[in-house]
Amino acid sequence: MLAWWDALPSILKVLYCVAIPSTLIFLLDTILMLFGLGDGAAANPSDTSGLDLDGHFDAGFDVDSGVDLPDVHDIHVDHADHDVGYDVQHPGDDSAGLKLFTLQGILIFLVLFSWISIAAISTGLNAFPAIVIGLLVGVAALYGTAKLFQFFRRMQENGALSIRNALGQTATVYIPIPPDKRRGGKVTLTIQGSFTELDAITEGTSSLPTGMAVTVIDIQGDTLVVEPME
């Protein structure tokens, strides 16, 4: 074994040092992914291409005016209980966008690049064209993997209920909605073809009774803001 290794050209030693560890890590990650423990095709924990936050926090002080900040949309201030709903999203964010540098993509690139280059050199091809061939195959595999993961993410997102799709929709009051943004009311509506029930509030001074048709004018976290249909 040592004699075989010592007889190898330096370029093959480098390629083997890339090929063997990357192949082992790829196989381990694939096995973990099958058991739900790996990096996964639908999400990449280290990816930072987009930020999408929904939530509420207690401001703890009176707010008398809106705050206009770059890249911040839909800031809603509740004067009564200081409850602030916010939705932060970068303008170019696309959660189903093409993400080249996932763990699987990088591993597949390294595995194919190194083994293809080794195979080409072993057939008698010079090192430079062999490495170029390996790089081309690796880049093609990296791009193909990214496209495949993009497809999986879009399939997931198309099947998941997104409350944002309720904006502008017509709903029916199911549990009477108290006035002045007080919570406790619910509405029913159809989102993405699914009939669902969601919490709702109104900014008006009159309560909205059961059976009233309303329009969704805003969204605060997982709560709809509605008003009576005109």
Side-chain angles (χ1 to χ4, degrees):
M1 183 67 178
L2 290 177
W4 168 80
W5 178 259
D6 290 337
L8 288 176
S10 298
I11 186 63
L12 280 179
K13 289 181 180 179
V14 172
L15 289 172
Y16 273 115
C17 287
V18 174
I20 294 174
S22 61
T23 301
L24 292 176
I25 295 173
F26 175 74
L27 292 175
L28 177 61
D29 183 74
T30 301
I31 294 171
L32 291 175
M33 188 174 64
L34 292 175
F35 290 95
L37 301 175
D39 178 62
N44 179 21
S46 63
D47 180 73
T48 57
S49 62
L51 177 63
D52 189 9
L53 304 174
D54 287 298
H56 292 81
F57 63 89
D58 291 328
F61 53 85
D62 292 331
V63 181
D64 295 324
S65 60
V67 180
D68 185 16
L69 297 175
D71 296 329
V72 178
H73 311 284
D74 301 330
I75 299 181
H76 315 286
V77 180
D78 188 329
H79 297 269
D81 56 11
H82 312 295
D83 181 44
V84 180
Y86 58 91
D87 181 37
V88 181
Q89 187 171 7
H90 292 289
D93 179 58
D94 179 7
S95 57
L98 190 64
K99 300 175 182 178
L100 287 175
F101 301 106
T102 60
L103 176 60
Q104 280 81 14
I106 294 172
L107 287 173
I108 289 172
F109 167 80
L110 292 175
V111 169
L112 289 179
F113 156 69
S114 55
W115 285 117
I116 292 294
S117 299
I118 290 170
I121 292 174
S122 299
T123 60
L125 195 64
N126 290 332
F128 180 75
I131 290 175
V132 170
I133 293 173
L135 283 172
L136 292 176
V137 173
V139 169
L142 179 65
Y143 180 78
T145 302
K147 293 294 289 184
L148 183 63
F149 288 1
Q150 180 189 49
F151 171 76
F152 287 152
R153 285 192 297 272
R154 283 179 174 168
M155 290 291 291
Q156 263 194 347
E157 291 172 2
N158 289 340
L161 184 66
S162 175
I163 193 173
R164 287 184 176 84
N165 291 326
L167 193 62
Q169 300 296 319
T170 299
T172 302
V173 177
Y174 175 59
I175 297 177
I177 302 173
D180 302 321
K181 288 189 176 181
R182 295 202 299 269
R183 299 180 182 275
K186 291 182 180 291
V187 297
T188 56
L189 73 165
T190 300
I191 307 177
Q192 297 171 225
S194 299
F195 187 75
T196 187
E197 173 187 312
L198 294 169
D199 294 331
I201 59 176
T202 181
E203 297 175 339
T205 57
S206 301
S207 62
L208 306 182
T210 298
M212 173 177 281
V214 295
T215 302
V216 180
I217 62 171
D218 208 345
I219 299 171
Q220 296 185 7
D222 57 357
T223 300
L224 307 181
V225 181
V226 300
E227 66 178 13
M229 289 190 63
E230 296 181 356

